[in-house]
Amino acid sequence: MNAYSRRSREIAPFHVMSLLARANALEQAGFDVIHLEIGEPDFTTAAPIVCAGQAALAAGHTRYTAARGLPALRQAIAGFYRDRYRLDIDPERILVTPGGSGALLLASSLLVDPGKHWLLADPGYPCNRHFLRLVEGAAQLVPVGPDSGYQLTPAAVAAYWNADSVGALLASPANPTGTTLARAELAALSQAVRARGGHLVVDEIYHGLTYGLDAPSVLEVDDGAFVLNSFSKYFGMTGWRLGWLVAPPAAVPELEKLAQNLYISAPSMAQHAALACFEPQTIAILEQRRGQFRQRRDYLLPALRELGFRIDVEPQGAFYLYCDVGAFTDDAQAFCAHFLETEHVAFTPGLDFGNHRANQHVRIAYTQDVARLREAVARIARGLESWASRPR
């Protein structure tokens, strides 16, 4: 191992992937596993998008595109901001990337020098801090809880900002908590970061998957922010690997240079397929699916609370419940393993999402239909009994 780079050794594994591998092995052995561990919708890509992708392949659209992406797709994304947020975003500010991860790679490469860091909420999506390590920067994890909706606050920025801080990364809706930031909260955080000469980067990957509200974009209050988004979640194109980054105009030439060197361009077939995402018939399908996600949340949230899972903040978006299981255990990893092995229900230990009370939390994804979730709840109830009576 010492022959490999220190950065590689210091990037922690994504623990849910080993749990997924075990779940898949159980399935191959003939067990019925209910997957509530991976942040991937159970819906396949909507038919109009698939048809557009097939047409692109048939037409021979299999070559590199420009590093910033197809002009037509960047225009379509700008139109999406106009229609959904009433924002006039110049398509020249938009870079199409290989997934939201590609957008994060560009932003972190541009904004973070070795030894510098961004402030991140703990808990939060694990790959964010690992990308910072990859560019020889770091994440300053800020412990957050239900009192702030598991989000950073201006007071937290003031308390944790230091000479090595160069920015803050927010997520709204957030993974793993599903909480959102209101427009006033985004404005206050922008002011707090800007006042310290930092960059504000906002993960809006779960926009569109909100329930009872529409999450505001940070660009409504800070036109100079960097915005990460993706075609994976709301648009249901996880395996197509496509996302985008909205950046201030002055940053675009540097970002384009990085894109040219890091990945040349996003997948061309996926870009052509994504043009169909913004068609009315596609949006109608996606909105119907959003309604199904809300039904799932509205079933699973009270059902888990009744079993003793503590969920202090109702998630307004994404498709996760971040559950405090401290009443049952201080070893969430063993807790998850127990339910996988005995009841064949897979969910994710809090260890994947940070350090703050991670061993007392699990993330449960409502990425199965309600009938399947009912079965999962019945199994979890049975598993709690065997957990309580297990040998110590």
Side-chain angles (χ1 to χ4, degrees):
M1 285 293 293
N2 288 336
Y4 303 138
S5 70
R6 185 165 63 183
R7 80 174 63 85
S8 176
R9 299 196 305 272
E10 291 179 356
I11 291 175
F14 207 172
H15 293 90
V16 71
M17 301 312 294
S18 60
L19 191 144
L20 175 63
R22 177 57 182 158
N24 289 339
L26 287 168
E27 279 187 320
Q28 291 168 7
F31 294 100
D32 175 34
V33 177
I34 302 178
H35 290 276
L36 307 178
E37 78 278 37
I38 296 297
E40 181 171 33
D42 54 324
F43 303 111
T44 57
T45 301
I49 302 171
V50 173
C51 290
Q54 291 169 333
L57 288 170
H61 295 308
T62 58
R63 304 175 69 86
Y64 295 136
T65 70
R68 281 188 289 157
L70 287 174
L73 183 55
R74 292 190 285 112
Q75 287 277 1
I77 294 169
F80 183 67
Y81 278 96
R82 181 183 62 250
D83 296 341
R84 180 151 292 195
Y85 303 101
R86 302 294 184 262
L87 290 172
D88 184 15
I89 303 296
D90 187 344
E92 295 300 309
R93 295 175 54 188
I94 298 169
L95 294 95
V96 180
T97 60
S101 297
L104 180 58
L105 177 61
L106 290 184
S108 56
S109 298
L110 178 74
L111 301 176
V112 183
D113 278 324
K116 301 300 181 180
H117 64 243
W118 288 345
L119 273 57
L120 277 66
D122 178 0
Y125 180 59
C127 296
N128 293 340
R129 63 183 187 270
H130 299 329
F131 269 108
L132 294 172
R133 178 64 189 90
L134 185 68
V135 299
E136 300 296 332
Q140 174 63 59
L141 297 181
V142 179
V144 294
D147 56 324
S148 67
Y150 296 99
Q151 296 281 358
L152 294 183
T153 62
V157 171
Y160 283 86
W161 196 275
N162 62 38
D164 291 326
S165 304
V166 293
L169 174 60
L170 313 176
S172 176
N175 177 7
T177 62
T179 62
T180 61
L181 287 161
R183 184 178 287 102
E185 292 170 319
L186 287 167
L189 283 161
S190 170
Q191 183 178 10
V193 173
R194 297 290 185 196
R196 291 163 174 81
H199 297 284
L200 186 62
V201 183
V202 183
D203 170 352
E204 298 184 354
I205 285 171
Y206 290 94
H207 270 224
L209 289 176
T210 52
Y211 315 111
L213 56 84
D214 288 320
S217 173
V218 69
L219 296 172
E220 297 174 33
V221 298
D222 183 352
D223 192 54
F226 291 77
V227 173
L228 318 173
N229 212 319
S230 173
F231 287 94
S232 290
K233 308 302 182 179
Y234 176 67
F235 296 104
M237 295 180 68
T238 51
W240 299 76
R241 306 311 305 134
L242 202 64
W244 74 83
L245 174 67
V246 182
V252 171
E254 289 298 305
L255 290 166
E256 182 175 21
K257 177 182 68 178
L258 290 168
Q260 291 166 344
N261 283 276
L262 291 172
Y263 54 77
I264 302 179
S265 66
S268 56
M269 299 78 71
Q271 292 189 62
H272 284 278
L275 289 168
C277 286
F278 307 105
E279 297 296 329
Q281 66 269 32
T282 306
I283 296 295
I285 294 169
L286 303 179
E287 286 298 301
Q288 187 269 339
R289 292 176 175 182
R290 169 160 59 162
Q292 291 189 51
F293 278 123
R294 180 171 186 168
Q295 291 173 9
R296 297 172 183 189
R297 182 202 64 171
D298 291 348
Y299 163 71
L300 191 59
L301 177 64
L304 290 177
R305 282 174 167 166
E306 189 172 338
L307 291 179
F309 288 74
R310 183 173 174 179
I311 307 164
D312 290 318
V313 180
E314 178 177 294
Q316 301 102 352
F319 35 70
Y320 309 113
L321 298 175
Y322 194 59
C323 308
D324 185 336
V325 293
F328 308 119
T329 187
D330 59 2
D331 187 347
Q333 199 161 9
F335 191 70
C336 290
H338 171 81
F339 284 90
L340 179 57
E341 298 296 335
T342 64
E343 299 297 336
H344 308 126
V345 179
F347 45 87
T348 309
L351 181 65
D352 258 343
F353 306 106
N355 303 319
H356 181 53
R357 299 194 65 237
N359 280 327
Q360 289 82 46
H361 283 82
V362 300
R363 187 193 73 177
I364 298 180
Y366 43 94
T367 50
Q368 302 287 323
D369 63 30
V370 171
R372 196 72 167 145
L373 293 176
R374 290 186 190 279
E375 172 63 21
V377 168
R379 294 189 194 183
I380 291 170
R382 190 169 59 227
L384 286 172
E385 293 180 3
S386 59
W387 174 261
S389 61
R390 75 196 188 284
R392 303 296 176 99

